[in-house]
PDB file of all heavy atoms in Angstrom:
ATOM      1  N   ASN A 210       9.407 -13.682 -17.929  1.00  0.00           N
ATOM      2  CA  ASN A 210       9.731 -12.231 -17.856  1.00  0.00           C
ATOM      3  C   ASN A 210       8.546 -11.375 -17.402  1.00  0.00           C
ATOM      4  O   ASN A 210       8.272 -10.323 -17.968  1.00  0.00           O
ATOM      5  CB  ASN A 210      10.246 -11.723 -19.210  1.00  0.00           C
ATOM      6  CG  ASN A 210      11.626 -12.279 -19.510  1.00  0.00           C
ATOM      7  OD1 ASN A 210      12.458 -12.394 -18.603  1.00  0.00           O
ATOM      8  ND2 ASN A 210      11.855 -12.659 -20.749  1.00  0.00           N
ATOM      9  N   VAL A 211       7.837 -11.882 -16.403  1.00  0.00           N
ATOM     10  CA  VAL A 211       6.721 -11.135 -15.811  1.00  0.00           C
ATOM     11  C   VAL A 211       7.219 -10.520 -14.506  1.00  0.00           C
ATOM     12  O   VAL A 211       7.750 -11.225 -13.642  1.00  0.00           O
ATOM     13  CB  VAL A 211       5.504 -12.046 -15.536  1.00  0.00           C
ATOM     14  CG1 VAL A 211       4.389 -11.264 -14.847  1.00  0.00           C
ATOM     15  CG2 VAL A 211       4.993 -12.660 -16.847  1.00  0.00           C
ATOM     16  N   ARG A 212       7.068  -9.217 -14.353  1.00  0.00           N
ATOM     17  CA  ARG A 212       7.501  -8.526 -13.130  1.00  0.00           C
ATOM     18  C   ARG A 212       6.429  -8.642 -12.056  1.00  0.00           C
ATOM     19  O   ARG A 212       5.250  -8.403 -12.325  1.00  0.00           O
ATOM     20  CB  ARG A 212       7.746  -7.049 -13.424  1.00  0.00           C
ATOM     21  CG  ARG A 212       8.814  -6.803 -14.475  1.00  0.00           C
ATOM     22  CD  ARG A 212      10.182  -6.875 -13.858  1.00  0.00           C
ATOM     23  NE  ARG A 212      11.219  -6.457 -14.798  1.00  0.00           N
ATOM     24  CZ  ARG A 212      12.464  -6.179 -14.437  1.00  0.00           C
ATOM     25  NH1 ARG A 212      12.814  -6.266 -13.177  1.00  0.00           N
ATOM     26  NH2 ARG A 212      13.353  -5.831 -15.341  1.00  0.00           N
ATOM     27  N   PHE A 213       6.841  -8.960 -10.836  1.00  0.00           N
ATOM     28  CA  PHE A 213       5.912  -9.037  -9.693  1.00  0.00           C
ATOM     29  C   PHE A 213       6.146  -7.818  -8.806  1.00  0.00           C
ATOM     30  O   PHE A 213       7.258  -7.574  -8.344  1.00  0.00           O
ATOM     31  CB  PHE A 213       6.160 -10.319  -8.897  1.00  0.00           C
ATOM     32  CG  PHE A 213       5.209 -10.506  -7.739  1.00  0.00           C
ATOM     33  CD1 PHE A 213       3.888 -10.879  -7.951  1.00  0.00           C
ATOM     34  CD2 PHE A 213       5.638 -10.285  -6.427  1.00  0.00           C
ATOM     35  CE1 PHE A 213       3.014 -11.047  -6.887  1.00  0.00           C
ATOM     36  CE2 PHE A 213       4.770 -10.455  -5.354  1.00  0.00           C
ATOM     37  CZ  PHE A 213       3.449 -10.834  -5.593  1.00  0.00           C
ATOM     38  N   VAL A 214       5.069  -7.041  -8.609  1.00  0.00           N
ATOM     39  CA  VAL A 214       5.175  -5.780  -7.866  1.00  0.00           C
ATOM     40  C   VAL A 214       4.243  -5.820  -6.657  1.00  0.00           C
ATOM     41  O   VAL A 214       3.072  -6.158  -6.764  1.00  0.00           O
ATOM     42  CB  VAL A 214       4.770  -4.578  -8.773  1.00  0.00           C
ATOM     43  CG1 VAL A 214       4.861  -3.269  -7.999  1.00  0.00           C
ATOM     44  CG2 VAL A 214       5.666  -4.525 -10.011  1.00  0.00           C
ATOM     45  N   VAL A 215       4.783  -5.472  -5.502  1.00  0.00           N
ATOM     46  CA  VAL A 215       3.994  -5.373  -4.276  1.00  0.00           C
ATOM     47  C   VAL A 215       3.563  -3.915  -4.129  1.00  0.00           C
ATOM     48  O   VAL A 215       4.406  -3.018  -4.030  1.00  0.00           O
ATOM     49  CB  VAL A 215       4.842  -5.812  -3.059  1.00  0.00           C
ATOM     50  CG1 VAL A 215       4.057  -5.618  -1.768  1.00  0.00           C
ATOM     51  CG2 VAL A 215       5.291  -7.260  -3.223  1.00  0.00           C
ATOM     52  N   ALA A 216       2.250  -3.663  -4.168  1.00  0.00           N
ATOM     53  CA  ALA A 216       1.738  -2.282  -4.126  1.00  0.00           C
ATOM     54  C   ALA A 216       0.812  -2.140  -2.922  1.00  0.00           C
ATOM     55  O   ALA A 216      -0.301  -2.639  -2.912  1.00  0.00           O
ATOM     56  CB  ALA A 216       0.984  -1.962  -5.411  1.00  0.00           C
ATOM     57  N   SER A 217       1.300  -1.435  -1.887  1.00  0.00           N
ATOM     58  CA  SER A 217       0.577  -1.410  -0.616  1.00  0.00           C
ATOM     59  C   SER A 217       0.683  -0.045   0.055  1.00  0.00           C
ATOM     60  O   SER A 217       1.594   0.727  -0.233  1.00  0.00           O
ATOM     61  CB  SER A 217       1.178  -2.474   0.314  1.00  0.00           C
ATOM     62  OG  SER A 217       0.737  -2.331   1.626  1.00  0.00           O
ATOM     63  N   GLY A 218      -0.239   0.201   0.968  1.00  0.00           N
ATOM     64  CA  GLY A 218      -0.145   1.401   1.791  1.00  0.00           C
ATOM     65  C   GLY A 218       0.889   1.251   2.891  1.00  0.00           C
ATOM     66  O   GLY A 218       1.234   2.228   3.557  1.00  0.00           O
ATOM     67  N   ASN A 219       1.400   0.052   3.084  1.00  0.00           N
ATOM     68  CA  ASN A 219       2.294  -0.214   4.207  1.00  0.00           C
ATOM     69  C   ASN A 219       3.730   0.226   3.935  1.00  0.00           C
ATOM     70  O   ASN A 219       4.101   0.561   2.817  1.00  0.00           O
ATOM     71  CB  ASN A 219       2.260  -1.706   4.571  1.00  0.00           C
ATOM     72  CG  ASN A 219       0.894  -2.138   5.044  1.00  0.00           C
ATOM     73  OD1 ASN A 219       0.027  -1.312   5.312  1.00  0.00           O
ATOM     74  ND2 ASN A 219       0.678  -3.435   5.126  1.00  0.00           N
ATOM     75  N   GLN A 220       4.516   0.158   4.985  1.00  0.00           N
ATOM     76  CA  GLN A 220       5.899   0.599   4.952  1.00  0.00           C
ATOM     77  C   GLN A 220       6.773  -0.397   4.184  1.00  0.00           C
ATOM     78  O   GLN A 220       6.600  -1.611   4.278  1.00  0.00           O
ATOM     79  CB  GLN A 220       6.396   0.725   6.393  1.00  0.00           C
ATOM     80  CG  GLN A 220       7.740   1.388   6.563  1.00  0.00           C
ATOM     81  CD  GLN A 220       8.152   1.404   8.036  1.00  0.00           C
ATOM     82  OE1 GLN A 220       8.133   0.364   8.704  1.00  0.00           O
ATOM     83  NE2 GLN A 220       8.493   2.564   8.554  1.00  0.00           N
ATOM     84  N   TYR A 221       7.734   0.134   3.461  1.00  0.00           N
ATOM     85  CA  TYR A 221       8.666  -0.686   2.676  1.00  0.00           C
ATOM     86  C   TYR A 221       9.314  -1.783   3.519  1.00  0.00           C
ATOM     87  O   TYR A 221       9.401  -2.940   3.113  1.00  0.00           O
ATOM     88  CB  TYR A 221       9.722   0.242   2.064  1.00  0.00           C
ATOM     89  CG  TYR A 221      10.892  -0.457   1.430  1.00  0.00           C
ATOM     90  CD1 TYR A 221      10.710  -1.358   0.368  1.00  0.00           C
ATOM     91  CD2 TYR A 221      12.196  -0.198   1.863  1.00  0.00           C
ATOM     92  CE1 TYR A 221      11.802  -1.992  -0.218  1.00  0.00           C
ATOM     93  CE2 TYR A 221      13.278  -0.827   1.271  1.00  0.00           C
ATOM     94  CZ  TYR A 221      13.077  -1.723   0.234  1.00  0.00           C
ATOM     95  OH  TYR A 221      14.153  -2.341  -0.341  1.00  0.00           O
ATOM     96  N   TYR A 222       9.761  -1.433   4.729  1.00  0.00           N
ATOM     97  CA  TYR A 222      10.480  -2.397   5.575  1.00  0.00           C
ATOM     98  C   TYR A 222       9.557  -3.532   6.032  1.00  0.00           C
ATOM     99  O   TYR A 222       9.986  -4.661   6.206  1.00  0.00           O
ATOM    100  CB  TYR A 222      11.112  -1.688   6.779  1.00  0.00           C
ATOM    101  CG  TYR A 222      11.966  -0.530   6.332  1.00  0.00           C
ATOM    102  CD1 TYR A 222      11.514   0.784   6.433  1.00  0.00           C
ATOM    103  CD2 TYR A 222      13.196  -0.758   5.718  1.00  0.00           C
ATOM    104  CE1 TYR A 222      12.272   1.835   5.959  1.00  0.00           C
ATOM    105  CE2 TYR A 222      13.961   0.300   5.251  1.00  0.00           C
ATOM    106  CZ  TYR A 222      13.497   1.602   5.370  1.00  0.00           C
ATOM    107  OH  TYR A 222      14.242   2.623   4.879  1.00  0.00           O
ATOM    108  N   GLN A 223       8.274  -3.212   6.199  1.00  0.00           N
ATOM    109  CA  GLN A 223       7.308  -4.242   6.555  1.00  0.00           C
ATOM    110  C   GLN A 223       7.058  -5.150   5.360  1.00  0.00           C
ATOM    111  O   GLN A 223       7.041  -6.382   5.473  1.00  0.00           O
ATOM    112  CB  GLN A 223       5.996  -3.603   7.034  1.00  0.00           C
ATOM    113  CG  GLN A 223       4.977  -4.604   7.568  1.00  0.00           C
ATOM    114  CD  GLN A 223       3.761  -4.800   6.667  1.00  0.00           C
ATOM    115  OE1 GLN A 223       3.783  -4.449   5.501  1.00  0.00           O
ATOM    116  NE2 GLN A 223       2.705  -5.352   7.212  1.00  0.00           N
ATOM    117  N   LEU A 224       6.883  -4.569   4.179  1.00  0.00           N
ATOM    118  CA  LEU A 224       6.552  -5.347   2.985  1.00  0.00           C
ATOM    119  C   LEU A 224       7.682  -6.310   2.620  1.00  0.00           C
ATOM    120  O   LEU A 224       7.443  -7.462   2.253  1.00  0.00           O
ATOM    121  CB  LEU A 224       6.261  -4.404   1.807  1.00  0.00           C
ATOM    122  CG  LEU A 224       5.047  -3.488   2.007  1.00  0.00           C
ATOM    123  CD1 LEU A 224       4.950  -2.482   0.873  1.00  0.00           C
ATOM    124  CD2 LEU A 224       3.758  -4.301   2.114  1.00  0.00           C
TER     125      LEU A 224
END
Side-chain angles (χ1 to χ4, degrees):
N210 290 320
V211 177
R212 300 278 188 167
F213 182 74
V214 179
V215 176
S217 168
N219 297 348
Q220 189 182 52
Y221 170 59
Y222 307 103
Q223 186 250 18
L224 297 173

